[in-house]
Structure formats: C-alpha cells, structure tokens
Amino acid sequence: MCELYCKQDTLTLQGKHIQPSCKVFFAEDTIKIMRAQGQYMFDEKGKRYLDCINNVAHVGHCHPEVFKAAAKQMEILNTNSRFLHDNIVEHAKRLTATLPQKLSVCYFTNSGSEANDLALHQARQFRGHQDVITLDHAYHGHLSPLMGISPYKFQKGKDVKKEFVHVAPAPDTYRGKYREDHEDAATAYADEVKKIIEDAHSSRRKIAPFIAESMQSCGGQIIPPAGYFQKVAEHVHRAADVLIADEVQVGFGKAGRHFLSFQMHGEDFLPDFVIIGKPMCNGHLMSCVVTTKEIAEAFSSYGIEYFNTFGGNPVSCVVGLAVLDVIENVNLQENAVKVGKYLTELLDEQKAKHPLIGDIRCVGLFIGIDLVKDLKKRMPTTAEAHYIIYKKKECFSVPMALTGMCSK
C-alpha cells in the first residue's frame, strides 16, 4: 500500500516528481480523488462528485461484475498472448460479432495510441504508400507517428505539418466551411477529400489511409452530416486507399442505437480498420485493431512477426468480456438513447434562455454544447466556458453528510 498524504503534500510531490506537461483537472482548485463507485468519485474529505469527465469507466467505476471477473482470473493465470488461451479467442469472437462480417481479425494492444499506430503501419504496408489524409482538429494518439497526423497536437506545438500529411476540413456544419444551410454539405466536405487525393496523385504522391474518428471528440464533438462517410469511402476506395475508423473515444454503445459509431453512417459504409480503445475494458489496459482477413494476411506475409506482451492477456480479456456482458445485461445502449434525449431536452430549454449557447449536438451520450460570443458570428468563447467548467465542479458535488454515506 502506498503512503497517504495530505492534499498539499501530494501537490508538492506531483510538482517535484511527475512530468509537467500533464495538467491535472481543475488546476486552479484541483480535486484529490480517493475512491470511486459507479458514476461517483469521492475526494479526501468524503465529498461526492458526479463524474461527467471520465471516458474510460464505461460501465461505472469499480463495477462489481468487472472486478469479480478480473480478481478470479488473476488467481488463475495472467500471461502474454503467445500462449494459447480461451479468453483471447472468446473476446475476439464477441467483438467481431458486433461488426460487419468482413471485419473479422483482431490485434489486441494496450492503448488507443498503440492500436492506431499499428493500423497506420499496416495500412502503409498494405498499399505500399506513405501519405495520410486526416481531419482538421483530429487527435489519434501520443506516439510520434500519430502526433504527426493529429492537427489537434501539431497545430498547438512547434511541430510543422509533414509533407506526407494532408488535412481535410472537419465535417462541421455549425462553424465549418460548409454549414447547415448548404444544399449538400456531406458531398461538399467529401469532395474536399477527393480533391486532396487528386492533388496528391498529380504530385506523384499516393495515399495510404484516410483516418478519422466516426464522430470527432477532441475536435469539438462534431457529428458529420448524413452521407459524408459513405461518399468519402467511395473516393478513398476508388483510389485503392484504405480507411481507418477511430472508435477509441466514441465506440462501445456511446452512440446509443449502434454499438460502434461508424455504424450510424449506414450499412454501405465499411471501413478497412476499426480501432477500439478506452471503454472496452473499463480502465483496464486494452485496445484492439479489427481489420479484414486480406489485410491481416498481407501483414503476416510482410515478414515481420507482430505480438504484444500485454495486449490480449487473459485478465484484460476476461475484463473485456465482463464489460460486454454488463452493456448487454442492463441495456446500456438503450439507456444512452433515453438519457441523451433527456439531457438534450433540458439543454434546449437552456438554449432558449441563453444566447451563449450556440449549438447542441447529440447522438446517444455523445453530446457537445457550443458556446459562442455572438449567435450570428459563431465565434467561440473561452472565458465563459472555463467559468462554466468550474461551476459544474461545484454543482456536481454533494457533501457526504447529506448522503448518509461515510468515507473509507
């Protein structure tokens, strides 16, 4: 067990020993979290907070079924995926059952970054090309190759866009290039991708993958116009390129009616890779690349053996299976639809009262609130957003004395 420090001592040690580029939440008045259960987190004084930030504890903090599954397996075996074991094949079987039949081969990894990095490598090897099309404001991970294709990262730092990276406009119909009043925003945004492909070919460059989140999260909770991804896929596949659907933040039922968010774009939209991450093991280290048999066999014949020391280990896989069970057994996808609809109705009431709210975007529990300085100009406001975030911290906290619970 680690030693327990007072909050100030923890902050002092944090500043001394922990890398400074990671900023803790609410840096001006940070919270020291001691434990969590379900949708709640508790600080060192026992104050309870409703957790509206976490995108990893998908079925709730410390879910008893997930915990029991992990503890039981840890008593038996935990090893790497080069040993034959039932848990990894059962997990792969359950995951691929949620996908179109063509997406049938799994590569288990440790994080969304690692999974996206593997898919990027496979896509480049499969087509023998290097260039990448990404969306403006996109974020796909912290590994060096991914930071280079994530405008969310390289546009904020001192890095410059590499010549093999092509940035398409995000399909944002609220403040983007083509808005909700455009006669066909989906086609207009998809044609931007088509032009990038044509310009690359005219410069004797070839695209390996087009990579995008099925709905942009870090990019501003952007929900693409209907038909956008189908049209993009047509352009990409016509050019013999491949398409990566990044579901690390938006998958696993968050969209409500569809288990993975790319499925909301229609049955005729079929990516070549699907990347699953954060929610699949409720905080346990696990992610997955799912691809076609054709691509997997091409990668295998490339001559470089791939395995992952921790990806697909028996404990993580049994945790992943428990998460799938919970999602199904308590109808979490249906709940995402109901709660998302309820929250949207409440937010619409506030929008009618406050011109600060420019737009509300929602699919299931994927919800974005766009705050603006002016409803016509749609310029984003920063100070007010910062203020609201800190007010939420106060509103979503309840003193333990009022709950009848005690701090452990």
Side-chain angles (χ1 to χ4, degrees):
M1 296 289 290
C2 65
E3 184 176 351
L4 295 180
Y5 300 101
C6 71
K7 181 176 175 180
Q8 187 54 53
D9 287 345
T10 304
L11 282 168
T12 300
L13 289 167
Q14 173 98 0
K16 183 177 181 181
H17 296 298
I18 305 301
Q19 51 94 1
S21 59
C22 178
K23 306 299 182 184
V24 296
F25 289 127
F26 308 109
E28 296 168 23
D29 183 22
T30 192
I31 305 170
K32 181 177 179 180
I33 294 299
M34 301 298 291
R35 65 184 184 91
Q37 184 67 52
Q39 68 270 45
Y40 296 112
M41 305 181 83
F42 303 85
D43 69 11
E44 79 282 4
K45 295 181 180 178
K47 183 180 284 188
R48 186 181 72 172
Y49 294 86
L50 177 62
D51 185 3
C52 294
I53 295 176
N54 213 300
N55 59 357
V56 177
H58 199 58
V59 298
H61 293 282
C62 306
H63 193 286
E65 295 303 316
V66 175
F67 172 78
K68 283 191 293 185
K72 183 178 179 180
Q73 182 60 47
M74 288 181 74
E75 289 182 330
I76 302 170
L77 173 70
N78 197 26
T79 186
N80 69 56
S81 56
R82 297 189 81 178
F83 290 98
L84 189 64
H85 198 275
D86 286 343
N87 292 5
I88 188 170
V89 295
E90 179 64 16
H91 197 191
K93 175 184 168 185
R94 291 276 299 277
L95 284 176
T96 55
T98 68
L99 293 164
Q101 188 174 2
K102 193 174 180 181
L103 293 163
S104 60
V105 182
C106 296
Y107 294 80
F108 288 104
T109 51
N110 298 320
S111 68
S113 293
E114 194 176 66
N116 271 325
D117 182 68
L118 175 59
L120 179 61
H121 180 72
Q122 287 180 297
R124 284 172 162 166
Q125 178 269 323
F126 183 63
R127 290 304 185 202
H129 308 156
Q130 290 297 309
D131 286 28
V132 179
I133 300 177
T134 186
L135 294 181
D136 200 9
H137 311 300
Y139 169 60
H140 296 292
H142 269 300
L143 298 179
S144 295
L146 301 174
M147 292 178 75
I149 64 168
S150 298
Y152 178 80
K153 287 293 180 183
F154 68 69
Q155 288 177 350
K156 290 184 176 181
K158 295 181 180 179
D159 291 341
V160 296
K161 183 176 74 66
K162 306 294 191 297
E163 63 177 353
F164 60 81
V165 177
H166 310 272
V167 180
D172 178 1
T173 57
Y174 180 67
R175 66 168 79 252
K177 186 175 182 179
Y178 309 108
R179 299 188 173 183
E180 72 277 1
D181 57 353
H182 191 279
E183 60 181 4
D184 190 354
T187 297
Y189 276 117
D191 282 348
E192 296 280 344
V193 176
K194 180 183 178 183
K195 186 176 186 304
I196 287 174
I197 294 172
E198 292 171 346
D199 289 348
H201 288 180
S202 66
S203 301
R204 296 188 176 183
R205 305 192 70 91
K206 294 290 183 70
I207 308 298
F210 169 91
I211 183 171
E213 288 184 280
S214 305
M215 299 185 291
Q216 269 196 310
S217 49
C218 288
Q221 307 294 100
I222 304 302
I223 301 168
Y228 168 73
F229 273 115
Q230 290 96 325
K231 296 175 188 298
V232 166
E234 288 175 11
H235 301 320
V236 169
H237 289 147
R238 189 178 298 120
D241 306 324
V242 296
L243 194 147
I244 301 173
D246 182 344
E247 294 272 338
V248 171
Q249 301 215 64
V250 299
F252 262 59
K254 189 175 291 185
R257 292 186 175 87
H258 301 282
F259 187 73
L260 292 171
S261 295
F262 81 86
Q263 293 165 328
M264 65 181 279
H265 300 299
E267 293 182 2
D268 54 342
F269 171 55
L270 181 64
D272 302 281
F273 295 87
V274 172
I275 312 302
I276 310 168
K278 297 178 187 295
M280 69 183 291
C281 282
N282 220 50
H284 216 265
L285 301 181
M286 180 73 103
S287 58
C288 188
V289 176
V290 189
T291 189
T292 67
K293 189 174 182 179
E294 180 189 9
I295 291 173
E297 288 178 346
F299 186 60
S300 180
S301 65
Y302 188 52
I304 299 176
E305 183 180 356
Y306 176 83
F307 82 98
N308 192 294
T309 302
F310 300 112
N313 72 77
V315 173
S316 293
C317 283
V318 87
V319 168
L321 289 167
V323 169
L324 289 171
D325 287 340
V326 173
I327 291 172
E328 293 174 9
N329 293 341
V330 298
N331 297 319
L332 281 186
Q333 287 180 244
E334 182 182 340
N335 186 67
V337 173
K338 290 180 179 178
V339 177
K341 182 175 182 293
Y342 175 68
L343 285 174
T344 304
E345 289 171 354
L346 295 179
L347 289 168
D348 283 337
E349 291 177 7
Q350 297 305 311
K351 183 182 177 183
K353 300 176 187 176
H354 305 290
L356 182 69
I357 301 176
D359 190 37
I360 297 167
R361 302 183 278 273
C362 175
V363 175
L365 280 175
F366 182 84
I367 301 172
I369 307 167
D370 210 321
L371 304 182
V372 295
K373 294 179 181 178
D374 183 276
L375 287 172
K376 290 184 178 180
K377 295 181 180 179
R378 301 185 180 183
M379 292 295 293
T381 178
T382 302
E384 287 85 347
H386 182 81
Y387 174 80
I388 288 172
I389 288 170
Y390 273 76
K391 288 299 290 184
K392 280 171 60 182
K393 185 185 71 152
E394 298 174 15
C395 295
F396 292 161
S397 65
V398 181
M400 289 301 298
L402 299 180
T403 68
M405 298 175 68
C406 61
S407 176
K408 292 183 180 179

